[in-house]
Amino acid sequence: METKEKVRHRKTESGRRLTEFMAQSYLRLHERAAAGDFVVWIAIIVPAEIFAGFDGVVFAVPESHAAMSAAKGVGPLQCEKAEKLGYSMDLCSYARIDIGTHFDGEKDSPTFGLPKPHLLISNNNNCSLLVKWFDVFHRAWNVPHLVLDVPFAYHPQTENEVGYIVAQFQKIISTIKEMTGKRFDIEKVREAISYSREAYRWWKDFLLCATNRPSGITAFDSFVQMAPILTDRGRKQLVEHYRLLVEETKAMMQRGEFPVPSERYRLLWDNIAPWHQLKNMSARLAALHANIIAASYTYCIGTVEGEIDLFDGETEDPLRYLARMQNFSVCPMGKELRKRAMSKAVETFGIDGVIFASNRSCKVYSVMQMDLMSEISAMHGIPCTMIDVDHADIRKYSEEHAFLRIEALLEQIERVKRGKSA
Amino acid sequence: MHSQYDILPCFPLYPPLEIFYAFGYCPIVVWNVREYSNSPHASATHLQNFVCSVARDLLDMLCNPQFTTCTAFFAYNACDTLRNLPEIVQSAFEKRAKPAPRFLHLHIPASGFRFEHQREYFALQMQALIKNLESLKEMQFSREEFSKSVRIYQKVRESYQKAQAAVADGLLSYREFSETVARCSLVSPNKQCEIFETLLQRRNITQKDGIPIVISGILPPPREVIEYIEDAGLRICVNDIASEGRSFDTFTPLSDDPIEYYMKFYENHHPCSTLHYTADRRIDELLKKAQYFNAHGFIFIGTKFCEYEYFEIVYMEEQLARHGIHMLKLEFSPDDAGNYAQLKTRIDAFAELLKEQRFGNERKSSSQKN
């Protein structure tokens, strides 16, 4: 393919800033905990903006810590520690990394672990097993554990469900008030939400850079760049980070710098990021003129059920907005809603084929993929494939098996393209 | 299989059976039903091989032509896999050009019923379920019918408990008991009582001196493995199997109000790894029962890929060990059939360990007396 576009090889400015951002984020967390702040461990969907309503309350996100550990190559090491304690290899690798880390005194963690919690808050719509995972710490350290119960979404959230979730947020607030003796300021929550909303707006702009041909980004960029949304929701710095990310990405596109300039195959990824394969997989795909330009794992952020666009409703009541955002991830959604969102993504991004990453470490994401795959393929007339991946445990991944299927997918896409042009 | 009723397949684990029966359904809890699945397995085209046997067998059974006439099925938020399954069932029907059955649903508050908002939300859920049943069956809900249904299921639970007590006393084999429970899950509650009555008449001394143990898991072990356990001289005194003890050991006060009844039913339910709010009291209740029967052995029947069980078993093992209770962990997946003989040695060794401990204790106490 003749192209004047340049390959983007080096770490971008946004990439460097992300490293600094995350280092500062974990440093700040440890410093504030050491200074006596009240530490809450949360599952990623738990509305972090609520904690902004208190002075001296910080939150840590074990799932994000596990993802970072996997990306830094210590996933199997931490998993093995958990397995030695008796945890089955069939359990979620995030959970095993987290359990392995914390029961080994935070050793080998890229963030020096997490500060010990005073309160645990899990939720069950993204994954019910988070409740079991957090129960491990609840029992070991005798720390209270609140479960945020969010009904699974076979349909968009109903008014009854919003009310039920808001009531649970109020319970979280009253529990922290009781445990800390601190006052709660809803206006600070409102302000935090405005930062999150603004950050989501930039996030969506960033993802839309993939609509360009060739795409301005890879899904791998979005995998790594989503980290601050998990650890720093509700903070002003988040807005600035994503604003700069969009500006820099657009500037690179204007300069003709693209991650895969020879892009011929535009792919969509369905499942959690393969954290241990970010470099390998993207480089090997690029060599095949393929780019995974979008992922259900990242286009769901800032949306609600069945959508890929930014959710812009519930501007008046902060807790109602946070209740609506409880389904912003993929896993809380039923198959029909996932299919609706994926169809929109296929059309918006001009997708040629979908890689369904069947992930035995995340059954909640993976069960239903076989039907989703056949239905998406039939609806859009695009080839799809399924590969076996564990998001954080490389021991359960075979690069050659995966690429055998991916290469077959590309051949199928090529046939479809030729058929269309003929 | 009972054919004169309008069968309502219910996903495991603990569906509100009474309400369905009150509407003229024969609700059946679809688990441990491998023998009813068709070959080649329909689930292989819809579910990955790391999905547990409960879900795979369930889908296979529902795709069995005998069941494709069902007009509805029920599921609640029992676990992540089961909550994803209803839409897969509907897809499976559509792909076989069969009309998809209606999906009846209930969300059971995962954090319990202590607070007003939990009770309010559950009440709304129950009202919606009743409304759906009314429209499906074209009949009004009747308190009287519900009350009758509650009484019938109470009788079923009492019969189950008597039979389990007979197993614990060594008057009935666990194999016979477990097979009876599996058979009962597919028939009407009245028929279940009859079957249990017949079973109880067969009581005789089988295992009086057997070493008392606890058995725990989602599904009972396969027949061959039960035989190894009983042949090794082990007696099941505490039944913590989800399709057996955990399903039948809950007594709820009689009521003609389904909301009140089910709030109490779920709140006070026999603890289970899938009912998050019962997790903290689970180990205490199991220990209490084990101590009552002087059980020093615990056999964990792992259903491969059931993460709820596998998360909790580590803590359970640690706590049981503190109280001098040994654990044997076995694991089963649907494709293991025929490979059970290798487990015999492990079960025999476990039984030897427990016997040694029992005789050791007896020697110790008699020497103390002397």
Side-chain angles (χ1 to χ4, degrees):
Chain A
M1 183 187 286
E2 279 296 314
T3 178
K4 286 180 182 168
E5 290 117 0
K6 297 169 225 164
V7 187
R8 217 162 61 198
H9 283 306
R10 283 165 298 145
K11 194 166 186 175
T12 60
E13 190 51 40
S14 310
R16 269 192 289 275
R17 205 179 42 260
L18 175 71
T19 306
E20 178 62 20
F21 189 103
M22 294 309 292
Q24 286 303 321
S25 176
Y26 277 98
L27 192 63
R28 172 181 162 273
L29 174 66
H30 282 294
E31 280 174 356
R32 287 187 55 179
D37 275 9
F38 185 82
V39 180
V40 189
W41 279 16
I42 61 166
I44 52 169
I45 304 293
V46 172
E49 292 87 347
I50 282 183
F51 309 116
F54 293 96
D55 285 332
V57 174
V58 286
F59 66 93
V61 189
E63 288 154 276
S64 182
H65 169 261
M68 189 178 278
S69 299
K72 299 285 180 195
V74 292
L77 176 70
Q78 305 290 32
C79 282
E80 279 169 15
K81 292 178 189 172
E83 287 153 21
K84 278 179 193 154
L85 294 172
Y87 291 94
S88 165
M89 205 176 175
D90 289 333
L91 294 174
C92 164
S93 44
Y94 276 175
R96 279 179 287 135
I97 288 175
D98 196 45
I99 290 167
T101 304
H102 303 307
F103 288 126
D104 188 36
E106 319 294 326
K107 267 190 252 163
D108 308 311
S109 159
T111 67
F112 304 103
L114 299 174
K116 283 272 187 306
H118 299 99
L119 176 67
L120 300 155
I121 308 177
S122 64
N123 78 336
N124 65 340
N125 66 330
N126 204 33
C127 166
S128 295
L129 291 160
L130 277 159
V131 180
K132 311 305 288 180
W133 166 1
F134 277 38
D135 259 351
V136 171
F137 301 120
H138 156 64
R139 288 164 178 161
W141 299 331
N142 198 23
V143 174
H145 176 193
L146 298 181
V147 179
L148 186 51
D149 177 40
V150 179
F152 186 63
Y154 297 107
H155 47 68
Q157 220 172 57
T158 63
E159 190 53 37
N160 287 342
E161 287 165 349
V162 174
Y164 177 52
I165 298 165
V166 166
Q168 293 180 71
F169 292 164
Q170 281 157 348
K171 177 75 192 144
I172 290 174
I173 294 165
S174 65
T175 301
I176 297 176
K177 273 168 138 178
E178 277 167 34
M179 289 182 78
T180 63
K182 291 178 189 294
R183 60 181 287 275
F184 174 73
D185 183 350
I186 191 76
E187 289 313 312
K188 288 186 178 170
V189 177
R190 199 186 297 277
E191 186 185 39
I193 288 173
S194 73
Y195 294 140
S196 293
R197 275 183 189 265
E198 191 57 18
Y200 291 149
R201 212 178 301 279
W202 288 114
W203 177 253
K204 291 291 175 190
D205 276 357
F206 171 64
L207 296 188
L208 286 175
C209 293
T211 57
N212 191 72
R213 286 175 188 265
S215 169
I217 60 169
T218 73
F220 300 94
D221 298 325
S222 71
F223 293 150
V224 291
Q225 287 289 353
M226 72 187 278
I229 291 176
L230 308 183
T231 56
D232 289 79
R233 276 206 302 285
R235 294 184 67 212
K236 199 176 179 179
Q237 291 85 334
L238 196 71
V239 181
E240 187 61 2
H241 176 77
Y242 288 115
R243 187 183 66 77
L244 290 170
L245 174 65
V246 172
E247 281 180 10
E248 285 159 8
T249 307
K250 286 186 175 169
M252 281 188 288
M253 288 165 71
Q254 274 170 3
R255 291 198 299 272
E257 291 175 24
F258 296 95
V260 185
S262 63
E263 173 191 288
R264 177 153 177 81
Y265 310 108
R266 295 164 67 83
L267 306 176
L268 175 72
W269 176 269
D270 184 61
N271 216 305
I272 302 177
W275 293 114
H276 44 80
Q277 291 302 308
L278 298 180
K279 258 188 195 165
N280 277 1
M281 193 179 273
S282 57
R284 196 160 164 181
L285 283 168
L288 296 166
H289 313 293
N291 186 3
I292 299 177
I293 61 168
S296 56
Y297 190 50
T298 51
Y299 66 57
C300 62
I301 294 171
T303 65
V304 289
E305 315 88 0
E307 301 296 331
I308 61 167
D309 296 332
L310 185 74
F311 174 68
D312 233 352
E314 295 292 354
T315 50
E316 297 302 314
D317 183 338
L319 296 188
R320 281 184 63 89
Y321 169 77
L322 293 174
R324 282 303 285 118
M325 293 305 285
Q326 282 301 286
N327 289 338
F328 84 66
S329 173
V330 171
C331 296
M333 287 188 254
K335 180 172 68 69
E336 291 307 311
L337 291 171
R338 287 192 202 186
K339 188 164 72 185
R340 195 198 298 175
M342 191 175 277
S343 284
K344 288 178 183 175
V346 167
E347 283 164 13
T348 304
F349 296 107
I351 295 296
D352 298 319
V354 185
I355 300 176
F356 287 86
S358 175
N359 181 349
R360 61 180 59 217
S361 240
C362 188
K363 292 169 186 72
V364 65
Y365 210 134
S366 307
V367 175
M368 83 168 64
Q369 276 181 319
M370 288 175 80
D371 283 303
L372 203 53
M373 184 164 93
S374 62
E375 288 166 23
I376 286 287
S377 183
M379 272 174 85
H380 296 277
I382 54 171
C384 301
T385 194
M386 187 171 281
I387 61 171
D388 280 317
V389 174
D390 184 297
H391 55 265
D393 188 349
I394 195 171
R395 295 173 300 169
K396 293 196 214 164
Y397 173 72
S398 161
E399 185 176 331
E400 292 315 316
H401 283 168
F403 268 87
L404 193 66
R405 292 202 165 203
I406 292 172
E407 285 170 18
L409 173 74
L410 301 183
E411 282 172 23
Q412 278 179 283
I413 295 172
E414 193 56 45
R415 263 204 301 276
V416 171
K417 280 179 185 261
R418 279 194 202 133
K420 274 182 189 164
S421 61
Chain B
M1 187 91 47
H2 223 284
S3 57
Q4 74 190 68
Y5 293 87
D6 193 359
I7 287 171
L8 182 77
C10 297
F11 286 19
L13 307 146
Y14 316 115
L17 300 170
E18 297 85 345
I19 191 80
F20 301 130
Y21 194 64
F23 270 97
Y25 279 113
C26 175
I28 55 165
V29 190
V30 190
W31 53 4
N32 213 1
V33 288
R34 177 140 275 235
E35 61 184 293
Y36 296 99
S37 63
N38 269 353
S39 192
H41 297 305
S43 61
T45 56
H46 297 275
L47 298 172
Q48 291 98 325
N49 61 4
F50 53 75
V51 174
C52 74
S53 61
V54 173
R56 287 160 71 181
D57 290 351
L58 192 162
L59 187 59
D60 287 335
M61 185 180 180
L62 292 180
C63 289
N64 181 327
Q66 200 177 351
F67 281 89
T68 47
T69 53
C70 292
T71 52
F73 66 98
F74 171 83
Y76 74 95
N77 52 317
C79 73
D80 287 343
T81 297
L82 291 180
R83 80 182 188 185
N84 279 354
L85 209 55
E87 289 177 305
I88 297 173
V89 167
Q90 289 178 319
S91 287
F93 273 69
E94 282 159 12
K95 281 169 189 163
R96 283 159 185 77
K98 303 269 184 194
R102 188 146 147 201
F103 167 36
L104 297 169
H105 176 245
L106 181 70
H107 180 88
I108 296 170
S111 43
F113 296 84
R114 275 178 58 214
F115 301 105
E116 196 53 38
H117 63 268
Q118 295 161 331
R119 292 192 290 272
E120 267 174 20
Y121 180 69
F122 182 72
L124 290 169
Q125 287 279 298
M126 277 307 300
Q127 283 162 2
L129 178 64
I130 291 169
K131 218 169 152 185
N132 275 331
L133 287 166
E134 284 178 336
S135 96
L136 201 59
K137 296 292 277 188
E138 294 175 345
M139 64 191 280
Q140 285 286 304
F141 167 72
S142 154
R143 280 180 174 259
E144 201 187 329
E145 287 303 315
F146 180 71
S147 183
K148 269 194 228 164
S149 175
V150 166
R151 274 195 289 273
I152 292 167
Y153 276 98
Q154 192 100 306
K155 241 176 106 182
V156 171
R157 293 191 180 98
E158 281 167 6
S159 304
Y160 166 90
Q161 293 222 325
K162 274 189 212 164
Q164 170 54 37
V167 175
D169 289 341
L171 301 174
L172 206 57
S173 82
Y174 175 63
R175 182 181 61 76
E176 240 184 317
F177 166 83
S178 191
E179 282 172 2
T180 304
V181 176
R183 207 163 58 242
C184 281
S185 70
L186 300 174
V187 299
S188 72
N190 281 323
K191 185 77 186 161
Q192 290 182 41
C193 291
E194 280 174 33
I195 295 172
F196 272 118
E197 276 313 309
T198 313
L199 177 72
L200 285 165
Q201 281 163 13
R202 291 205 295 271
R203 274 177 292 197
N204 60 21
I205 296 172
T206 58
Q207 279 252 322
K208 198 83 183 157
D209 296 323
I211 309 259
I213 62 158
V214 181
I215 192 161
S216 178
I218 293 293
L219 295 172
R223 183 195 172 122
E224 294 91 326
V225 177
I226 294 179
E227 282 173 2
Y228 299 152
I229 292 171
E230 296 200 309
D231 289 351
L234 302 175
R235 179 163 48 102
I236 313 295
C237 288
V238 182
N239 187 318
D240 185 48
I241 297 289
S243 64
E244 297 177 348
R246 291 188 215 169
S247 288
F248 293 96
D249 270 354
T250 304
F251 271 105
T252 310
L254 295 173
S255 171
D256 64 357
D257 176 356
I259 295 172
E260 179 195 49
Y261 177 78
Y262 284 116
M263 264 187 217
K264 287 183 180 157
F265 174 80
Y266 286 114
E267 185 170 21
N268 303 314
H269 201 277
H270 189 286
C272 175
S273 55
T274 65
L275 295 171
H276 298 309
Y277 53 90
T278 66
D280 280 348
R281 61 180 162 90
R282 184 168 177 224
I283 187 70
D284 292 338
E285 290 193 18
L286 274 175
L287 277 171
K288 215 154 91 183
K289 285 183 183 171
Q291 281 158 356
Y292 176 81
F293 286 102
N294 199 21
H296 289 282
F298 185 108
I299 300 186
F300 170 64
I301 307 296
T303 296
K304 182 84 174 161
F305 303 123
C306 178
E307 291 173 290
Y308 293 76
E309 291 282 288
Y310 281 96
F311 258 112
E312 214 155 274
I313 204 63
V314 182
Y315 173 73
M316 301 265 288
E317 186 170 23
E318 191 186 295
Q319 293 301 309
L320 291 166
R322 278 191 191 175
H323 291 82
I325 299 173
H326 303 281
M327 184 184 283
L328 172 66
K329 286 190 271 190
L330 305 176
E331 183 173 78
F332 297 95
S333 73
D335 306 316
D336 286 344
N339 298 330
Y340 301 132
Q342 38 100 16
L343 298 178
K344 190 174 186 324
T345 319
R346 291 183 61 200
I347 292 165
D348 285 344
F350 185 64
E352 286 301 320
L353 171 85
L354 296 180
K355 279 175 199 163
E356 192 53 45
Q357 184 174 7
R358 183 201 240 184
F359 296 135
N361 286 347
E362 282 172 5
R363 277 197 298 270
K364 207 168 145 188
S365 66
S366 70
S367 68
Q368 275 169 355
K369 274 180 201 163
N370 295 335

